[in-house]
Amino acid sequence: MDEKKIRWFTVSMIAFSMVWGFGNVVNNYAQQGISVVTSWILIMALYFIPYALIVGQLGSTFKSNSGGVSSWIQETTNNRRLAYYAAWTYWVVHITYLAQKPQSVLIALGWVFKRNGDVATSMSVQTVAIISLLIFLLFLFLSTKGLTTLKVIGSVAGSGMLVMSILFIILAVAIPFMDSSFTAATPQMNQLSTYVPDFNLGYFATISMLVFAVGGAEKISPYVNSIDRPTKNFPKAMIFMAVMVGLSAVLGSVAMGLLFNSNRIPEDLMANGAYSAFQILGNHFGVGNFFMIVYGFAQAAVQASALAFSIDAPLKILLSEADPEFVPSWLRKRTAKGTLINGYLLTGVLVSVIIILPIFGIKNMSELVKWLTNLNSVVMPMRYVWVFFAYMMLNRQYKKFHSEYKFVKNPKLGFIIGLWCFAFTAFACILGMIPKADYADDPSSWIFQLVSNILTPFVLILLGMILPMWAKRERKKAI
């Protein structure tokens, strides 16, 4: 094997660390309970494996392109406007993602230093919004100066988080075998019927969170052509990665079922569930809060690093080689040191609005965490549809492009698979707009969440449509 080539197992582990996190288990268990086990199996087989293999073919076909999804759109459609919209979508979906990170840092530090979840249960939404805004503005300022050290710390902490996620599954699943007196929190976990979801509107409104959990496979594309014998080994790497993700999801959900009653899920589980789980395990194994504190520190570092990286990297992708026909000069403006100053300013304004918005419609912190997490599950997958659109266009012009690795050789079947993934993603996002709260409990909060879930993605995309008009007007003035 060529020494420069990467082994398929290494690529599989890289992909696993890029896609997966323990929060995916907690968030989806909080919405579906133990029946999420069935949902994980379905989403892996019907969506995630095709998604990963589609990315593989796109990455292999356009191996010389560094622009990612937007360059795939440009190559397959020869349409600069569509390529711009793909780049804009990739950047703008990070706005809601960034708005949630300061809260995640705050909750993590609360558990580390107070040993409880009071931050997520007792602190007012107004106070959280102000503190979160200050944290975000601090990181926004620091991002303009460079945060190499924090990103390195975040990378190390991320590896630690992966270890902690696996450790959680091992320890939780081991409890019944080590302690014969242990009783699972969820009743009848030995019956198959316990794991069958109720396929109603409420269930389908939660699948956007599953899509959000397994999304981001396009980050794997640079590794396709680095693998030895990609035609044979890339599918092997992706299927093995999908099996690891599936096992982590299923076993992690079972472990959550052992510790938290699926029929009476705590209201703050999405905010505090991971920390409570490690605290329960620590108490059971006689080490007190040790597991929880290690997880809390790692989570705080990872979230802080993600906040810094997600301010900086997507903005550079959008504006570093932005097409003047669609992006006005004021947004492309750089300081003497090369900082995209107005790009950071626009990021600051949009994220600040999302951070402050809950003050006008959400009553408590736990509900705020659930709303923002669900809003992310509606907005973030909007970038995935461009991957499937590019794959559909690739199959329509299969004679024009050469790929060392192909997901399916039949272009008609490839187009249908791409269309399925495109439609499923759109379906999940649209139904995900339905609030997960009970309307009867708080009608005003329910309406606020519905309106904000619908308006946020449309406003973010509309802003991307306004910029080309601005750029056109700017060019006319220059003539």
Side-chain angles (χ1 to χ4, degrees):
M1 187 180 76
D2 189 337
E3 290 182 2
K4 294 183 180 179
K5 294 292 184 180
I6 305 175
R7 293 182 181 275
W8 70 266
F9 181 77
T10 303
V11 172
S12 193
M13 293 306 297
I14 292 171
F16 178 68
S17 64
M18 283 180 171
V19 170
W20 195 243
F22 182 48
N24 295 326
V25 173
V26 177
N27 291 338
N28 283 283
Y29 184 85
Q31 293 207 140
Q32 293 191 17
I34 198 64
S35 66
V36 76
V37 168
T38 302
S39 300
W40 282 124
I41 295 170
L42 292 174
I43 203 78
M44 291 296 149
L46 299 176
Y47 185 78
F48 182 54
I49 292 177
Y51 181 5
L53 297 178
I54 282 171
V55 165
Q57 183 170 342
L58 287 165
S60 179
T61 306
F62 307 111
K63 54 189 173 185
S64 61
N65 295 82
S66 59
V69 177
S70 61
S71 65
W72 297 345
I73 296 295
Q74 172 66 37
E75 293 288 344
T76 56
T77 65
N78 196 30
N79 188 313
R80 290 161 57 204
R81 183 175 292 272
L82 284 178
Y84 156 73
Y85 283 130
W88 172 263
T89 305
Y90 182 88
W91 173 74
V92 83
V93 296
H94 285 83
I95 296 301
T96 54
Y97 180 78
L98 288 169
Q100 190 173 22
K101 292 302 165 188
Q103 297 163 17
S104 300
V105 173
L106 194 60
I107 292 171
L109 293 177
W111 274 95
V112 168
F113 294 108
K114 297 184 71 175
R115 308 292 194 268
N116 58 48
D118 284 354
V119 168
T121 55
S122 302
M123 196 175 286
S124 71
V125 172
Q126 290 80 1
T127 303
V128 170
I130 293 170
I131 296 174
S132 297
L133 183 60
L134 292 174
I135 292 173
F136 167 70
L137 292 176
L138 172 63
F139 275 86
L140 182 67
F141 172 75
L142 293 175
S143 291
T144 65
K145 308 298 179 183
L147 282 170
T148 305
T149 302
L150 181 60
K151 291 172 186 176
V152 171
I153 293 172
S155 178
V156 173
S159 300
M161 287 278 286
L162 195 59
V163 171
M164 292 296 291
S165 300
I166 296 170
L167 181 65
F168 167 76
I169 294 170
I170 293 172
L171 293 178
V173 174
I175 291 177
F177 299 98
M178 298 174 61
D179 184 357
S180 58
S181 64
F182 175 79
T183 302
T186 301
Q188 300 177 327
M189 287 187 67
N190 61 338
Q191 296 183 16
L192 189 61
S193 58
T194 304
Y195 301 89
V196 178
D198 184 4
F199 293 103
N200 54 23
L201 181 61
Y203 171 81
F204 287 111
T206 65
I207 61 174
S208 62
M209 189 70 75
L210 293 164
V211 172
F212 179 38
V214 299
E218 62 275 4
K219 297 174 187 175
I220 306 163
S221 61
Y223 298 95
V224 179
N225 294 290
S226 299
I227 199 170
D228 179 53
R229 292 181 293 172
T231 301
K232 177 183 177 182
N233 287 331
F234 184 77
K236 186 192 299 184
M238 290 302 98
I239 290 171
F240 183 73
M241 181 267 289
V243 169
M244 287 195 297
V245 169
L247 285 174
S248 299
V250 169
L251 293 177
S253 300
V254 170
M256 289 293 290
L258 294 173
L259 303 180
F260 301 97
N261 190 339
S262 176
N263 302 317
R264 291 194 300 273
I265 295 174
E267 285 294 319
D268 66 336
L269 189 67
M270 202 172 279
N272 290 326
Y275 307 96
S276 296
F278 277 109
Q279 191 173 56
I280 293 169
L281 288 178
N283 292 332
H284 189 87
F285 284 94
V287 295
N289 289 317
F290 176 73
F291 292 144
M292 181 272 291
I293 292 172
V294 172
Y295 179 81
F297 272 122
Q299 178 76 332
V302 165
Q303 297 300 322
S305 177
L307 178 56
F309 186 75
S310 297
I311 290 172
D312 188 55
L315 188 64
K316 287 181 177 176
I317 290 173
L318 174 66
L319 298 180
S320 290
E321 297 180 6
D323 192 330
E325 185 176 337
F326 307 110
V327 181
S329 60
W330 65 265
L331 190 54
R332 293 181 279 115
K333 180 182 177 182
R334 292 179 182 270
T335 64
K337 294 183 179 180
T339 303
L340 293 159
I341 186 66
N342 287 335
Y344 284 104
L345 183 61
L346 180 61
T347 302
V349 170
L350 293 177
V351 175
S352 297
V353 170
I354 300 294
I355 290 175
I356 296 297
L357 191 61
I359 291 176
F360 303 102
I362 293 188
K363 305 292 173 58
N364 61 73
M365 177 63 168
S366 294
E367 198 62 36
L368 171 60
V369 172
K370 285 194 284 187
W371 169 69
L372 257 182
T373 305
N374 278 292
L375 181 60
N376 267 305
S377 77
V378 171
V379 174
M380 190 61 78
M382 292 195 313
R383 65 176 174 156
Y384 310 155
V385 297
W386 289 106
V387 175
F388 306 127
F389 179 72
Y391 184 66
M392 290 159 63
M393 295 301 101
L394 177 65
N395 278 280
R396 286 187 63 182
Q397 306 170 78
Y398 68 99
K399 291 182 180 179
K400 181 180 176 181
F401 301 103
H402 170 73
S403 175
E404 191 173 348
Y405 161 72
K406 288 186 178 180
F407 171 27
V408 289
K409 293 183 179 180
N410 187 315
K412 291 182 179 179
L413 178 59
F415 185 90
I416 291 171
I417 293 173
L419 180 61
W420 154 253
C421 290
F422 182 101
F424 184 82
T425 305
F427 173 77
C429 288
I430 292 169
L431 285 187
M433 294 175 181
I434 300 173
K436 311 309 178 289
D438 191 336
Y439 177 83
D441 290 344
D442 191 346
S444 62
S445 177
W446 192 93
I447 292 171
F448 167 83
Q449 292 184 48
L450 177 64
V451 172
S452 58
N453 287 350
I454 294 172
L455 286 183
T456 300
F458 280 105
V459 169
L460 294 177
I461 294 300
L462 181 62
L463 183 59
M465 297 174 71
I466 291 173
L467 288 180
M469 300 178 194
W470 199 323
K472 184 179 181 180
R473 183 181 177 187
E474 191 177 69
R475 290 195 308 274
K476 284 184 176 179
K477 283 185 177 180
I479 297 173

